Amino acid sequence: DGGLQIWDLASTLEHVDSSFLQTISSLVFVMDVQDNVAAPSAMDMLVNAACKLLRINPRVFIDVLLHKVDCLAEGQRLELLTDVTQKVKARLEERNILDTSPNVFLSSIYDHSIYDCLSKVVQKLTPGLYSLESVLDALVTNCRMDKAFLFDVRSKICVASDTQPVDVQWVELMSDMIEVVSDLASTYEDDSVEEGEEAGAASQALAAAAAAARGGGCGSSS
């Protein structure tokens, strides 16, 4: 149907059919940074999977999520990010996989970083992203907003934003607002309302909340 499809695959991709791998747009590899025992084997599995996939599908994106970083101090997180990025790139070059720079992100379920990471992954795969950004730029200019975001209400993933620099606090504000408005919408929805109508009500409520937030220096569109 042209929509985004997510498949949970084995880390090695050993038994995955090559014809299927040719259709993949992005490989999202999740590494548990709290599991020190499995870390070396996880790096090996990442490199092996990336090598196999890139040889079959050279245009695929390689995205690595260093998950559960909430246990680390800020300095340790940045050090880990740099270390993993350099090691993955070096290991790929050793296997003659050149001109490939995997995208490495820090994520945690205890803040908004997981939504930010997945938003960046999705934005790269969004058809017509530049057109969406142009529309949001026009919205910001004509409505005198500071910033405009286009969110998927259910997943809280940011599909697009205008081209001005993104302040992470604004993204957190919009995510919190979506959660509050979705909860309120479901509270006042009749049980007989179909799922599509429920989503529409949430979107309308979000638009109203965004209009109110604009007075505080932040605008959003969904």
Side-chain angles (χ1 to χ4, degrees):
D1 57 3
L4 178 68
Q5 296 185 13
I6 300 175
W7 294 80
D8 186 4
L9 304 175
S11 300
T12 61
L13 302 184
E14 182 178 350
H15 302 293
V16 181
D17 189 80
S18 297
S19 60
F20 172 76
L21 295 178
Q22 291 176 349
T23 67
I24 293 179
S25 300
S26 176
L27 171 68
V28 181
F29 194 97
V30 182
M31 299 179 65
D32 184 352
V33 302
Q34 296 186 17
D35 191 346
N36 295 324
V37 176
S41 60
M43 177 66 72
D44 291 337
M45 286 189 289
L46 167 59
V47 172
N48 291 335
C51 286
K52 178 175 181 178
L53 186 55
L54 286 166
R55 289 193 174 102
I56 297 173
N57 186 357
R59 294 185 296 179
V60 71
F61 293 107
I62 305 297
D63 298 298
V64 183
L65 267 60
L66 303 179
H67 197 46
K68 300 182 182 179
V69 296
D70 44 274
C71 66
L72 304 177
E74 184 65 27
Q76 293 175 310
R77 296 182 187 186
L78 297 177
E79 183 179 349
L80 176 65
L81 179 66
T82 302
D83 182 58
V84 171
T85 301
Q86 292 176 346
K87 283 184 177 179
V88 173
K89 185 173 178 60
R91 294 278 298 275
L92 290 176
E93 290 176 349
E94 290 175 0
R95 306 274 288 272
N96 294 320
I97 303 294
L98 308 175
D99 301 324
T100 298
S101 298
N103 303 291
V104 184
F105 306 104
L106 302 173
S107 66
S108 171
I109 62 171
Y110 295 108
D111 55 29
H112 294 81
S113 59
I114 185 64
Y115 300 113
D116 183 48
C117 296
L118 295 178
S119 294
K120 291 176 180 177
V121 172
V122 170
Q123 286 171 16
K124 292 183 298 184
L125 308 177
T126 302
L129 177 62
Y130 295 124
S131 298
L132 287 175
E133 291 175 341
S134 297
V135 170
L136 294 175
D137 280 338
L139 178 66
V140 167
T141 300
N142 294 329
C143 296
R144 298 180 180 179
M145 293 180 174
D146 290 326
K147 190 70 183 172
F149 299 94
L150 181 64
F151 275 89
D152 177 75
V153 174
R154 293 190 180 278
S155 65
K156 294 195 291 186
I157 288 179
C158 180
V159 179
S161 68
D162 66 285
T163 55
Q164 298 182 77
V166 177
D167 188 332
V168 66
Q169 292 182 342
W170 286 1
V171 178
E172 293 177 358
L173 174 62
M174 291 298 99
S175 296
D176 289 340
M177 185 181 298
I178 289 172
E179 187 170 352
V180 171
V181 171
S182 297
D183 289 343
L184 289 175
S186 62
T187 300
Y188 290 99
E189 278 294 325
D190 187 88
D191 292 338
S192 63
V193 176
E194 294 183 356
E195 182 178 351
E197 295 177 349
E198 181 180 351
S203 298
Q204 293 175 3
L206 176 60
R214 192 178 67 186
C218 181
S220 173
S221 175
S222 178

